Amino acid sequence: MAGVTLLGDAARPRAPNGKGANPAMPDGAGLGRALATHPGDTEAALASHEQVTFSRAAEVEADDDGFYTTMIDDHAPYSLLALMTGAEPDA
Ligand SMILES: Cc1cc2nc3c(=O)[nH]c(=O)nc-3n(C[C@H](O)[C@H](O)[C@H](O)COP(=O)(O)OP(=O)(O)OC[C@H]3O[C@@H](n4cnc5c(N)ncnc54)[C@H](O)[C@@H]3O)c2cc1C
C-alpha cells in the first residue's frame, strides 16, 4: 500500500523478551531520518526506512535464543519462570 509503513509491534510482534520496544525506538528515529533525507518523496523515504527496519527485524528474530520454545515447551510456564528468576525449571 502506498504511503503507509509500520513501526514497533505492528511491524514485528514480539514476546516479552526485551526485544520489542528497544528495536522500535531506532525504527522511529530511522523513519524520521529517512523522511528528512528524502524531502518531498515519501515513497523513497519509506522504502529506505523499510530496508533498514526489515533487516533489523530479521536479525532480532534470528537472535531469539530459544525464547519462544521456552514459553511453550513441556515445562511451561515453569521454564519461563526459571528464566526470569533463576529458579529450577521443574519447580
Ligand atoms: C510483559 C511485557 C514485558 C515487556 N518487556 C519489554 C522489555 O523489557 N523491553 C522491550 O524492549 N520490550 C518489552 N516489551 C515489548 C514492548 O512493550 C512492546 O514492544 C512495545 O510496547 C510496542 O510498542 P508499540 O508502540 O509498537 O505498540 P503498543 O505499545 O502496543 O501501542 C499501540 C497503541 O495503539 C493503540 N491502539 C490499538 N488499536 C488501536 C486503534 N484501532 N485505534 C487507536 N489506537 C489503537 C493501543 O491502545 C496502544 O496504546 C514487553 C511486553 C510485555 C507484554
Side-chain angles (χ1 to χ4, degrees), residues 32-70:
R33 192 165 41 248
L35 289 167
T37 306
H38 299 279
D41 189 351
T42 306
E43 289 304 318
L46 297 187
S48 144
H49 158 74
E50 287 172 357
Q51 195 172 13
V52 174
T53 201
F54 288 178
S55 130
R56 183 181 300 122
E59 284 172 27
V60 170
E61 192 65 40
D63 187 33
D64 264 330
D65 294 332
F67 191 86
Y68 285 97
T69 305
T70 300

Side-chain angles (χ1 to χ4, degrees), residues 7-25:
L7 293 171
D9 281 9
R12 50 160 181 270
R14 306 296 315 158
N17 62 351
K19 297 174 185 172
N22 283 310
M25 288 187 276

Side-chain angles (χ1 to χ4, degrees), residues 70 73-91:
T70 300
D73 70 11
D74 290 344
H75 301 289
Y78 298 108
S79 42
L80 183 59
L81 190 62
L83 180 72
M84 300 287 184
T85 65
E88 289 298 318
D90 291 318

